[in-house]
Amino acid sequence: MYTEKVIEHFRHPHNQGKLPDYTAVGKVGNIVCGDVMWLYIKVEQDTSGREVIADISWETFGCTAAIATSSMVSDIAKGKTIEEAIAITNKDVADELGGLPPVKLHCSALAADALNEAIYNYLVAAGRDIPPALARRHAHIAAEMNTLEQRYAAFLETQEAAHGEGG
Amino acid sequence: MIELAEHIYLDNSATTAVALEVMAAMQPYFSVVYGNASSLHGFGRDARRAVENARAQIAETLGVQPEEIFFTSGATEANNLAIKGLAAANPEKRHVITTKIEHHAVLHPCAWLQTQGYDVTYLDVDAYGRVDPEAVRAAIRDDTLLVSVMAGNNEIGTIEPIARIGEICHERGVRFHTDAVQAYGKIPLPLEVIDLLSVSAHKLNGPKGVGFLYVRRGIKLTPLLHGGGHERGLRSGTENTPGIVGMAAAAQLAMSEQDEVVPRLREFRDRLIAEISKLPGTKLNGHPKESLPHITNFSFAGIEGESLVMRLDEHGIATSTGSACSSPNLEPSHVLQAIKVPLSMAHGSLRISTGRDTTAEQIATFLAVLPQVVADLRAISPFKVGE
Ligand SMILES: Cc1ncc(COP(=O)(O)O)c(C=O)c1O
Ligand code: FES
C-alpha cells in the first residue's frame, strides 16, 4: 500500500532527532489521537541577507507514513527561504513521496502543519509581522487541536478513572 | 526483500501455513477425486465418502456426533449462521448477550440484529479481558435468545471462563455459542455446555475458506444460504471437498500434536513475556497465565504500532498491531479499548503469535531484533522513555 519512496524514507529517514541549536520548534498532533510531530528549524541569513532554513530536524511518533512525511518535509524545506517554506503544502509532501494511501493523507498534513507552526513561532519570537495566510493556518491548526482534545475528553476521563489509582 | 528462508512468521493468529501433511491429504481431491459429493456416480460417491469421513473425524476431536457438524466457508460464516440463524428460527426472543472483545465476525452480526429491532448487551471485561460469568447471569432476561462469548481472544489471547458461562446459560435455558477459532486445538473445550461452536481451518494449519459450525442436536437454525439443500438444508452449496478434507486432516494433526506443541508454545510465551518485560516502557496486554499459548500482546510506550510492525518486517519478521494508525477508522482496536489500555499505550501495541513451525531460534532472533527496533523508533519519537 505504500510507495517505494515512502518505504525508503521510512527505512532511512533524513534529518531525524532534535537540533541542538534550533531557533524555533513547531509541535503538532496529540498522543491521544496517535500522531505527534515536533519539527525544529534553525534560521540563518544567507549571503544575500535572506532568512533561510539553514537546518531542520524532527521527532515523530506515528506510523510509517508519518515518519516518511517528516523525513520528506525536512528535505523539501531545508535551504529554503522562509517565504518559500511557508508555501510548502501537504500535497507537495505527499506528491514528492509518490502519493499516500487516502487514509494516510492526514499524516502529510501533520508534516506541513508542523513546518507552518515552527515558522509561525519563529516569526512571533522575532517580533516579525505574520503573513495573513500563515496566521490563518495557525488559527486553523490550533482550532483543530482543540476539537480533537474535546472529542477525546470523555474518553480521557474514563481512562483516568480506570488508571488513576495505583497507576 | 528478505529471502523467504530468513522470514520469521509470528502472525499465526492471522493465518497459518498449510501443513505438508494437510496438503498431501487434500491433493487427490482436486483432480483425481473431483466429483460432486451429491452425484450418484462413483466420482460423486468417493467425494461423499471423503466429506463424511472428514465430518466424523472432526466430530471425534470434539467428542460429538457427526450430524452435529456443519461445514461452512469459514468462521465468519459459522458465526453468522449461529447468530442470525438462531435468531431467525426463534423470532419470539429478541435479546442477545455478547462481549466487547469478540471478533468482528460476532460483533457485526449482533450489530445487524440491532438494526432488525433486537436488543444486544455487550458485556464489559476486566483489565485482562475476562468476562465475569456473574455478569452474564445478571444480563440474562426472559427474552434472551443467545449468549455468545469467545473461547479465547484473537488479539490478546485471554481465555474466557466459558465452562462457567455455559453452565449458567443452561441453568437459565439460554443458548450458548462460542467462537473457538483461536482456542480449538490449543485448550480443552467444555462441549457439554456449548450449543454452538465455530471453527476455521486456516488458523490451524489447514486451508483458507473452510470452517465448521457445531450445532448441538435439537437446535433449530434458519439457513443463511438457500439452494440445493446441502448440509441437510442448513448450508447450500457444493461441498468444498479438498477444503473439508484438509480441515479434518488439520484438526487431527492439531489434536495429535497438542501435547507436544502446546507446552512448547507456552514456553515461548513465558520467555517473550519475561524478556519483553525487561525493556523499559512496556506492558503486557492480556493475562500472564490465563491465556492461549500462542498469543502474546505488548504495548511499547513512545512508539506507534504500525511503524513497529513495518520495522520488524524489514528484518523479515511478521507480526501485527491493534494500533489506530493501522486500522481503517484510525481507532485503536476495540479489544485494547475494552481492557482500557491508555490510548497512548494502545497506539504502540504489538501482537506476536506463534505456531507449530515456530522455533526457539526464531524467538531468540526476534528477541534480539526487537530491542534495537524499539530503541530506533524511540530515538526519533518526541516521547522519551526510560531516560
Ligand atoms: C476469533 C476469530 N473469529 C473469527 C475469525 C474469522 O474466521 P474466518 O477467517 O474463517 O472467516 C477469526 C479470524 O480472523 C478469528 O480470529
Ligand atoms: S500517524 Fe497515525 S495514521 Fe499516520
Side-chain angles (χ1 to χ4, degrees):
Chain A
M1 70 184 232
Y2 289 124
T3 63
E4 290 286 321
K5 201 78 189 242
V6 170
I7 300 285
E8 190 186 305
H9 273 267
F10 171 70
R11 287 194 177 174
H12 308 287
H14 308 160
N15 312 308
Q16 66 183 61
K18 178 177 173 177
L19 282 182
D21 51 351
Y22 64 89
T23 351
V25 57
K27 298 184 175 185
V28 294
N30 171 326
I31 185 131
V32 174
C33 331
D35 327 3
V36 181
M37 189 182 298
W38 293 3
L39 191 109
Y40 305 88
I41 53 173
K42 186 178 175 196
V43 182
E44 283 177 357
Q45 299 218 331
D46 70 2
T47 44
S48 44
R50 298 176 312 171
E51 287 184 308
V52 295
I53 297 183
D55 209 349
I56 184 164
S57 78
W58 50 268
E59 292 177 303
T60 293
F61 169 96
C63 69
T64 305
I67 290 170
T69 54
S70 305
S71 174
M72 183 51 91
V73 80
S74 69
D75 274 0
I76 300 176
K78 199 168 187 168
K80 292 263 191 317
T81 65
I82 291 289
E83 263 162 38
E84 289 165 342
I86 288 173
I88 297 170
T89 67
N90 64 326
K91 189 169 176 306
D92 297 335
V93 179
D95 288 351
E96 281 296 316
L97 287 166
L100 284 170
V103 68
K104 296 291 185 177
L105 279 172
H106 72 277
C107 308
S108 62
L110 197 70
D113 285 355
L115 179 62
N116 189 89
E117 290 301 273
I119 295 170
Y120 177 89
N121 289 339
Y122 167 71
L123 294 177
V124 169
R128 230 46 84 58
D129 286 343
I130 311 293
L134 187 72
R136 268 200 306 279
R137 230 168 112 190
H138 167 75
H140 178 75
I141 294 164
E144 212 161 57
M145 300 260 285
N146 204 11
T147 325
L148 282 173
E149 264 157 32
Q150 276 172 9
R151 182 173 146 205
Y152 284 99
F155 186 85
L156 279 173
E157 269 167 35
T158 66
Q159 295 291 317
E160 271 162 27
H163 292 269
E165 320 92 41
Chain B
M1 266 326 271
I2 288 130
E3 292 297 312
L4 206 58
E6 294 171 25
H7 267 131
I8 298 181
Y9 186 76
L10 297 174
D11 200 15
N12 287 274
S13 321
T15 194
T16 58
V18 175
L20 293 179
E21 301 89 314
V22 170
M23 265 212 308
M26 293 171 71
Q27 182 78 30
Y29 296 93
F30 287 101
S31 45
V32 182
V33 191
Y34 53 82
N36 184 324
S38 304
S39 297
L40 288 176
H41 46 63
F43 294 86
R45 290 196 302 276
D46 286 351
R48 169 60 56 204
R49 204 170 298 123
V51 167
E52 296 315 319
N53 193 26
R55 199 186 308 279
Q57 288 169 340
I58 286 169
E60 200 189 324
T61 67
L62 292 171
V64 301
Q65 297 305 309
E67 312 83 73
E68 296 174 309
I69 302 297
F70 294 87
F71 296 124
T72 66
S73 63
T76 299
E77 187 188 334
N79 287 340
N80 272 270
L81 179 57
I83 296 164
K84 296 193 269 191
L86 189 73
N90 298 276
E92 68 292 351
K93 296 206 166 168
R94 310 288 289 178
H95 178 229
V96 171
I97 299 169
T98 186
T99 79
K100 290 187 177 162
I101 60 156
E102 298 301 310
H103 192 272
H104 286 136
V106 165
L107 290 176
H108 290 175
C110 287
W112 181 81
L113 283 183
Q114 285 177 290
T115 69
Q116 305 301 302
Y118 281 75
D119 228 4
V120 179
T121 302
Y122 298 91
L123 295 173
D124 281 320
V125 292
D126 69 12
Y128 296 118
R130 290 177 306 190
V131 179
D132 178 2
E134 290 311 312
V136 175
R137 188 196 298 281
I140 292 175
R141 319 191 305 214
D142 289 341
D143 65 338
T144 303
L145 167 73
L146 173 72
V147 171
S148 179
V149 178
M150 70 200 322
N153 185 266
N154 50 301
E155 286 186 41
I156 57 173
T158 301
I159 294 173
E160 298 301 333
I162 57 166
R164 188 75 199 102
I165 293 170
E167 265 174 43
I168 291 169
C169 293
H170 276 210
E171 280 166 26
R172 301 290 306 272
V174 175
R175 298 300 187 196
F176 180 53
H177 166 253
T178 190
D179 174 339
V181 167
Q182 299 289 343
Y184 177 83
K186 300 290 195 318
I187 57 169
L189 295 167
L191 266 293
E192 61 287 357
V193 294
I194 296 170
D195 296 312
L196 300 149
L197 174 139
S198 310
V199 170
S200 179
H202 74 99
K203 311 283 186 177
L204 56 138
N205 303 101
K208 292 169 182 58
V210 60
F212 70 84
L213 179 66
Y214 158 76
V215 184
R216 178 188 290 280
R217 190 190 314 225
I219 294 179
K220 290 268 172 302
L221 300 181
T222 299
L224 304 178
L225 302 181
H226 299 88
H230 306 78
E231 297 297 292
R232 282 176 295 126
L234 188 53
R235 202 277 184 183
S236 288
T238 300
E239 291 86 348
N240 170 7
T241 315
I244 289 167
V245 168
M247 174 162 62
Q252 286 194 313
L253 182 67
M255 295 304 165
S256 69
E257 294 185 333
Q258 196 171 8
D259 290 348
E260 183 235 318
V261 172
V262 166
R264 187 165 77 228
L265 302 188
R266 283 212 179 284
E267 252 171 58
F268 292 161
R269 187 173 191 271
D270 289 345
R271 186 155 157 224
L272 287 168
I273 293 174
E275 293 300 317
I276 299 173
S277 299
K278 286 184 195 156
L279 301 177
T282 61
K283 179 191 170 294
L284 177 72
N285 298 317
H287 198 281
K289 292 285 168 203
E290 293 298 306
S291 173
L292 297 173
H294 62 302
I295 299 174
T296 312
N297 191 312
F298 262 92
S299 281
F300 297 80
I303 55 183
E304 192 283 314
E306 194 223 80
S307 37
L308 185 52
V309 167
M310 290 291 283
R311 271 278 186 279
L312 288 167
D313 182 51
E314 283 175 47
H315 293 265
I317 300 173
T319 55
S320 74
T321 177
S323 91
C325 301
S326 69
S327 84
N329 59 2
L330 297 175
E331 275 196 21
S333 94
H334 63 283
V335 177
L336 298 178
Q337 292 195 46
I339 62 170
K340 300 200 167 61
V341 177
L343 272 180
S344 59
M345 284 297 262
H347 292 302
S349 76
L350 184 74
R351 179 182 71 176
I352 307 133
S353 53
T354 56
R356 69 193 288 272
D357 302 323
T358 308
T359 64
E361 292 73 43
Q362 291 180 332
I363 297 293
T365 304
F366 168 73
L367 284 171
V369 169
L370 181 70
Q372 297 169 24
V373 164
V374 168
D376 175 35
L377 286 169
R378 280 180 177 166
I380 62 173
S381 166
F383 305 109
K384 301 304 172 200
V385 177
E387 279 178 5

